């Protein structure tokens, strides 16, 4: 054991040198989560189809298993807040609401597992959850970890409402140890940095990566384009801090995908999917899979997009260009010397023709790439670094490219993870 200090909190925490290392989430987790779409709707008498109940999760598990999601990697069915009874039982254990989850969480987990899926659950490191249900106080951490493991849970999201900075600094690492001690593989999602402003000195991402598999850095997403843009702005404004923190087993989480709901246009939906993929973000949908539109489903089930998101190198992308024309360019290096580019328009007037070259985007000289449009599927062959090209980007939309090297220069180049945007941030040659 060694003492570590969370910078800015002046709190020493006794941590094992590798507190987590559970071998999980080597690529960003994918699946479905209840919160954004269904919130804390517990009125099953008035709204039985949409309330937080075992029936909702049975039905979403069926949809993941039967509608092509599971085969693409969407494997987690995640229960968020408001699942439990209002009090613990006589033994001090968390119990599900008996009217809304009459079969119990273990039966739900068995149902999910029988369909080749995994179950996630929600807790809160505080007196109450954000929705006012029993929280996990420090004295409950071990017991709750054992309860979740006994139920067959595969992921835990641990929120931070109604807890102090000191309690969080003790409790989040303690839960990592407690989950590991159960012997069950449980992906651990922490909301810790979101409650500490998401940035140093209050947040130490080196320590966080040793404790959690993924973490919420910033505000909850809402069903609006303004909310998506606020998240994008925060993550890429702070990319010098956030980008190096991500990698296999430990991911920044900009929150759920809201594609298929009510707040995004078709172009904006394509943009969220592309930008989350560039960020190497978990792909956790929060929409009604029973009624999802074909166009939203097509975006979320784009095979090449998912391949890019799940790239084993696990490098988070960066914004490398921000034009006065309100066009932005994002780059994510991928394995086998491939990379992805996203050309994003913040314009609201009309489609914009953007002209540049791979040389201007700091790709290596004398390289040649086969380019594939991720959404259209069309392959553009033999694009040389020096060649000018144009893309037409719709308002609040994206053009996304996947670049495979056809010829590479003799001199290798490497990713500079902590350099500023632009110079020095190149696709990785492995």
């Amino acid at each position: 054991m060694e003492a570590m200090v969370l910078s800015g909190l002046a709190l020493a925490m006794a941590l094992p040198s590798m507190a987590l290392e559970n071998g999980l989430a080597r690529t960003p987790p994918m699946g479905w989560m209840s919160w954004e779409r269904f919130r804390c709707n517990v009125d099953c008498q008035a709204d039985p189809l949409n309330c937080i109940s075992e029936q909702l999760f049975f039905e979403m598990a069926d949809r993941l298993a039967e509608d092509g999601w599971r085969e693409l990697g969407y494997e987690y069915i995640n229960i968020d807040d408001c699942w439990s009874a209002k009090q613990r039982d006589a033994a001090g254990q968390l119990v599900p609401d008996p009217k809304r989850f009459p079969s119990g969480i273990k039966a739900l987990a068995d149902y999910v597992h029988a369909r080749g899926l995994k179950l996630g659950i929600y807790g809160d490191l505080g007196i109450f959850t954000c929705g006012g249900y029993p929280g996990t106080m420090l004295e409950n951490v071990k017991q709750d970890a054992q309860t979740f493991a006994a139920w067959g849970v595969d992921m835990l999201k641990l929120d931070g409402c109604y807890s102090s900075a000191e309690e969080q600094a003790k409790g989040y690492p303690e839960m990592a140890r407690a989950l590991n001690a159960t012997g069950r593989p449980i992906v651990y999602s922490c909301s810790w940095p979101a409650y500490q402003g998401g940035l140093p000195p209050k947040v130490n991402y080196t320590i966080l990566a040793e404790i959690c598999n993924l973490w919420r850095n910033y505000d909850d997403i809402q069903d609006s384009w303004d909310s998506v843009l606020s998240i994008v702005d925060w993550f890429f404004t702070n990319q010098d801090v956030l980008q190096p923190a991500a990698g296999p087993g430990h991911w920044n989480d900009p929150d759920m995908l809201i594609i298929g709901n009510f707040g995004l246009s078709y172009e904006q939906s394509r943009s969220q999917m592309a930008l989350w993929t560039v960020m190497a973000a978990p792909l956790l949908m929060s929409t009604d899979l029973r009624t999802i539109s074909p166009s939203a489903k097509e975006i979320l089930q784009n095979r090449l997009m998912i391949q890019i998101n799940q790239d084993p190198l696990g490098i988070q992308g960066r914004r490398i260009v921000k034009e006065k024309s309100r066009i932005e360019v994002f780059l994510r290096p991928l394995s086998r010397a491939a990379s992805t580019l996203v050309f994003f328009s913040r314009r609201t007037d009309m489609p914009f023709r953007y002209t540049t070259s791979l040389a201007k985007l700091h790709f290596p000289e004398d390289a040649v790439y086969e380019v594939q449009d991720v959404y259209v599927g069309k392959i553009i062959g033999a694009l040389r670094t020096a060649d000018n090209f144009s893309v037409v980007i719709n308002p609040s939309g994206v053009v996304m490219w996947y670049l495979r090297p056809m010829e590479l220069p003799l001199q290798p180049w490497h990713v500079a993870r902590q350099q500023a945007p632009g110079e020095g941030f190149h696709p990785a040659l492995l």
Side-chain angles (χ1 to χ4, degrees), residues 2 20 58 79 110 129 133 152 179 280 384 391 395:
E2 59 184 1
L20 190 68
F58 288 148
I79 307 169
D110 290 345
T129 71
Y133 290 79
L179 291 173
R384 298 183 178 277
V391 290

Side-chain angles (χ1 to χ4, degrees), residues 334-339 358 363-370 383-385 403-414 426-430:
L334 305 170
S335 54
R336 294 187 292 278
S339 55
L358 296 181
F363 278 67
E365 294 180 11
D366 304 321
V368 184
Y369 294 88
E370 177 188 81
L383 180 66
R384 298 183 178 277
T385 305
L403 297 94
R404 302 178 185 89
M406 300 171 71
E407 297 177 30
L408 290 170
L410 294 176
Q411 284 295 109
W413 69 96
H414 304 278
H426 302 311
L429 180 61
L430 297 177

